Amino acid sequence: MADTTYTPPKVWTHDAENGGTWASINRPTAGAREQKDLPRGEHPFQLYSLGTPNGQKVTIMFEELLEAGVSEAEYDAWLVNIGEGTQFTSGFVEINPNSKIPALLDCSGETPVRVFESGAILFHLAEKFGMFLPKDGESRTECMSWLMWQMSTAPIIGGGFGHFYAYAPEKFEYAINRFAMETKRIMDVADKRLAETRYLAGDDYTIADIAAYGWLGGFTRGESYTDAATFLSVREYTNLMRWGEELGERTGVKRGLVVNRDAPGKIKERHSAADIDAVLGA
């Protein structure tokens, strides 16, 4: 049997040919690779994103706000094709130096304000409009704790389990088993919490739920990484499934899930409610 054990070198160097789905764009450096401005629409908020779990959090938030009657939350959503490297253009890097979606430009005031990282965007919008975030006290603290919990779990589910299960050039048993175990542990944390309360932060629907649904909702819908829900036995988490099914019936969630996705029944860009209505038949 060939020796497949990897011995790390004393000093790591970038191997551009290491394979995997994202090998052509991944580099160990930051900054713009191309000078190009981003488009700008007419609404107060300009969102540059893709309908991945992190991107879905923000489009769901916007649609929830609009569904609640907050007309000031009108937004333009522009598709950022991460496979083509749009996130490395100068315009995008000016908004998010980390070159990750989603990125938001809040143009509602005299001077545009950039907001990057999905959790920060949810918090910014919740604070701005006074919705989906308790105003003070223990409830607010609990909400923020679950929001930060979700932000800490995303790299494990996506960059860990998702990468080795779906995107790596080869299937590595150790890596898949390691991150499958951690992903199931995360689901168990959510399942046990949701046995106690209707939503993650308590009795009220908050940005903690919106953030978590971006990642966990895909598993409860059976859409994440092809058939990963079967592989991880997701249906055994009955409280998580109840929560996921309930959130999946919300109008704001349904509308947010179709934005910035290049697929049948979805829309690549969103510039008015009519764009979503056209595919949902509203």
Side-chain angles (χ1 to χ4, degrees):
M1 179 182 292
D3 182 6
T4 58
T5 301
Y6 170 65
T7 302
K10 187 175 180 62
V11 178
W12 182 87
T13 57
H14 177 50
D15 177 6
E17 303 300 326
N18 64 356
T21 302
W22 309 108
S24 63
I25 63 170
N26 288 337
R27 300 179 191 175
T29 55
R33 302 175 189 174
E34 176 187 1
Q35 293 298 309
K36 186 176 181 179
D37 293 333
L38 292 174
R40 185 82 67 90
E42 64 180 26
H43 293 308
F45 297 95
Q46 300 297 302
L47 176 66
Y48 303 95
S49 191
L50 182 67
T52 64
N54 283 332
Q56 290 168 13
K57 300 175 194 177
V58 180
T59 50
I60 288 173
M61 180 66 171
F62 272 119
E63 293 300 326
E64 289 281 16
L65 289 167
L66 292 170
E67 182 66 17
V70 184
S71 59
E72 297 86 354
E74 272 293 347
Y75 70 108
D76 291 283
W78 304 91
L79 180 70
V80 174
N81 190 325
I82 62 176
E84 296 179 355
T86 307
Q87 69 274 32
F88 299 111
T89 61
S90 57
F92 191 90
V93 172
E94 286 176 4
I95 300 177
N96 186 354
N98 196 37
S99 292
K100 301 289 185 181
I101 61 93
L104 178 69
L105 198 61
D106 180 349
C107 304
S108 62
E110 293 184 7
T111 303
V113 175
R114 73 179 188 184
V115 194
F116 57 93
E117 294 296 331
S118 58
I121 295 173
L122 293 181
F123 179 71
H124 176 77
L125 294 173
E127 284 270 272
K128 190 177 190 73
F129 296 113
M131 296 196 67
F132 308 119
L133 175 64
K135 290 183 171 54
D136 51 39
E138 183 179 338
S139 296
R140 182 184 180 88
T141 301
E142 188 75 9
C143 177
M144 293 303 295
S145 291
W146 284 106
L147 175 65
M148 297 306 159
W149 168 80
Q150 188 286 312
M151 297 298 292
S152 71
T153 64
I156 295 170
I157 299 174
F161 173 75
H163 177 77
F164 288 107
Y165 182 78
Y167 301 133
E170 299 177 50
K171 302 298 184 187
F172 300 101
E173 182 179 3
Y174 171 79
I176 292 174
N177 286 345
R178 174 72 174 86
F179 286 106
M181 177 183 67
E182 278 299 299
T183 298
K184 286 182 68 66
R185 187 190 64 79
I186 289 164
M187 291 179 178
D188 198 39
V189 170
D191 191 66
K192 285 181 167 59
R193 170 59 177 169
L194 292 166
E196 303 170 339
T197 57
R198 182 178 179 183
Y199 300 110
L200 284 172
D203 295 332
D204 297 321
Y205 176 68
T206 68
I207 54 175
D209 298 291
I210 295 173
Y213 188 81
W215 281 97
L216 297 179
F219 288 100
T220 63
R221 297 193 305 273
E223 298 175 2
S224 295
Y225 308 118
T226 309
D227 197 26
T230 298
F231 179 73
L232 296 173
S233 303
V234 173
R235 297 200 69 84
E236 73 182 18
Y237 302 106
T238 56
N239 303 299
L240 176 64
M241 289 298 301
R242 182 268 306 164
W243 170 87
E245 290 167 2
E246 179 179 346
L247 266 61
E249 290 301 311
R250 294 181 66 93
T251 299
V253 171
K254 291 179 179 179
R255 294 178 70 84
L257 286 177
V258 306
V259 182
N260 290 150
R261 301 175 72 177
D262 188 4
K266 316 297 181 185
I267 57 173
K268 290 193 287 186
E269 295 181 0
R270 187 270 186 204
H271 303 292
S272 74
D275 295 330
I276 299 176
D277 294 342
V279 296
L280 292 184

